Amino acid sequence: MTQPPLAPYPALRLRRLRQADWIRRLVRETTLTPADLVWSAVVHEGEGRIPVASMPGVERLSVAEAAKAAREARALGVPAIAVFPHIDAGRKDQAGSAAEDPDGLVARAVKAMKDAAPEVGVLCDVALDPFTDHGHDGIIEGGRILNDATIERLVAQGLMQARAGCDILAPSDMMDGRVGVLRRALEAEGLQDTMIMSYAAKYASAFYGPYREAIGSGKLGSGPSANPGDKKTYQMDFANTDEALREVALDIAEGADMVMVKPGLPYLDIVRRVVEAFAMPTFAFQVSGEYAMIMAAAKNGWLDEERSILESLGAFKRAGCAGIITYFAPVAARLLGA
Ligand code: PBG
């Protein structure tokens, strides 16, 4: 060879640091561990486990199975579980009244999980959609989602969850001002240790599709009274990024301890901006549609399942996430521990 290929910079060979696993590990900039994961789990009112068709590998868990999941999380080193309820359709109504039921599914699941594994954190969504017959996150009047009337219900729901033993309240409703009202209510009730992880920048997204099946959500735009066919008057427009910073700034000012961006992988630019702007513990939710996409392709043999799971989760860490809420948590933790 007359001339090295990189002349006039013959010493610059970036592949040198990629030549073997040991050196790749040594210079690795970010790592994914089970401690980065929050297990997104669906619970139901019946017995046993019921597969969710649009999310291969995800099952709705009975309260007893949820308690087992908490023990499993502890064994796997997964710090926390997020609970999403699938309640019987007959118990849903216009106002989502079941959301604040102290003997309801969420309260029972939280108690069972904290009894089974007190060392594992429990996170609850504060939002009405699993409990409304129309599937919206708020109270509807004349076809509009009412902001302040919804907040009153959310506070009742959040206090109930905290009293049941929930460690982290995660308002996912996108009503204006709900974090501040919730924080003040918690303080007033002596629940000052209850944490708030706000769904701060949450977008109106098609990627929540399979979740609606998972929790048996009412079909938007249907039902006895007029209601909108989408959530665009409260969830964010996916074209926007500065607006996400305003949402996050407000939630922090109102008392959020941690913030979240949702969905996940298609919104890593937002994660990055939030991390750089606020230096707050920032989480992302790898939502149901992201799970379904990877699993559908893997089931067809088009993607390597294990590698795709770990690469997608690793991307969140690289973007700066403190952690990821994901349906892959138990599978990923097992892969990482292996
Ligand atoms: C409820 C809520 C949703 C998700 C989490 N909490 C749906 C929505 O806002 O429409 C989505 C979760 C997922 O897709 O995995 N507010």
Side-chain angles (χ1 to χ4, degrees):
M1 196 162 54
T2 51
Q3 196 182 28
L6 293 172
Y9 310 111
L12 257 191
R13 291 181 183 274
L14 295 184
R15 289 184 54 195
R16 219 177 271 130
L17 296 182
R18 299 177 199 143
Q19 62 184 292
D21 184 58
W22 68 265
I23 185 64
R24 289 192 296 270
R25 283 192 289 130
L26 195 62
V27 299
R28 189 158 290 154
E29 297 173 43
T30 59
T31 45
L32 178 72
T33 75
D36 297 313
L37 307 174
V38 176
W39 178 351
S40 180
V42 184
V43 296
H44 71 116
E45 305 196 279
E47 296 300 314
R49 297 170 163 256
I50 301 176
V52 177
S54 55
M55 300 178 72
V58 171
E59 296 169 313
R60 292 186 203 123
L61 309 175
S62 66
V63 170
E65 291 296 320
K68 277 191 214 160
R71 279 188 220 108
E72 193 181 341
R74 179 173 59 195
L76 289 169
V78 171
I81 303 191
V83 188
F84 296 92
H86 175 287
I87 70 161
D88 295 339
R91 307 208 317 109
K92 303 190 185 196
D93 61 22
Q94 278 276 304
S97 325
E100 54 202 78
D101 181 357
D103 304 311
L105 175 61
V106 170
R108 283 183 279 123
V110 169
K111 282 180 194 144
M113 289 161 72
K114 291 306 294 188
D115 281 350
E119 310 86 343
V120 174
V122 173
L123 180 151
C124 287
D125 241 40
V126 183
L128 301 183
D129 64 307
F131 309 96
T132 52
D133 51 14
H134 44 68
H136 278 287
D137 298 42
I139 311 281
I140 305 184
E141 202 176 272
R144 295 180 58 232
I145 316 296
L146 301 183
N147 196 85
D148 300 7
T150 296
I151 290 180
E152 276 181 42
R153 302 273 52 84
L154 296 174
V155 167
Q157 176 185 28
L159 289 176
M160 178 281 288
Q161 292 166 340
R163 288 188 194 113
C166 176
D167 301 289
I168 303 176
L169 301 185
S172 72
D173 54 289
M174 290 299 280
M175 297 301 119
D176 285 324
R178 87 283 203 214
V179 172
V181 181
L182 191 57
R183 182 76 266 166
R184 278 195 296 277
L186 289 167
E187 293 287 323
E189 293 283 313
L191 294 161
Q192 65 275 356
D193 288 339
T194 304
M195 292 165 257
I196 297 181
M197 180 193 291
S198 73
Y199 286 71
K202 175 170 177 178
Y203 288 84
S205 172
F207 294 111
Y208 309 149
Y211 164 91
R212 303 216 200 288
E213 185 209 334
I215 65 153
S217 187
K219 191 172 157 29
L220 300 179
S222 67
S225 64
N227 80 79
D230 59 56
K231 300 189 174 183
K232 292 180 184 171
T233 67
Y234 46 108
Q235 300 180 348
M236 284 178 57
D237 181 345
F238 66 73
N240 295 354
T241 155
D242 288 342
E243 188 188 358
L245 299 191
R246 299 186 68 203
E247 283 283 2
V248 172
L250 269 175
D251 284 5
I252 294 171
E254 290 176 30
D257 302 290
M258 300 168 271
V259 294
M260 194 204 299
V261 173
K262 181 184 173 197
L265 224 45
Y267 293 76
L268 289 187
D269 58 322
I270 309 296
V271 167
R272 190 70 207 169
R273 285 196 75 187
V274 169
V275 167
E276 284 175 357
F278 299 103
M280 284 282 285
T282 304
F283 291 76
F285 199 139
Q286 184 180 49
V287 299
S288 57
E290 300 175 62
Y291 178 94
M293 286 195 292
I294 289 176
M295 291 306 286
K299 294 289 168 214
N300 275 296
W302 299 335
L303 282 180
D304 180 300
E305 183 174 317
E306 297 184 355
R307 289 180 56 203
S308 304
I309 291 170
L310 294 181
E311 184 177 332
S312 67
L313 293 169
F316 289 96
K317 287 293 290 182
R318 192 187 61 236
C321 281
I324 308 113
I325 295 101
T326 175
Y327 300 91
F328 285 124
V331 171
R334 242 172 256 122
L335 292 173
L336 291 168

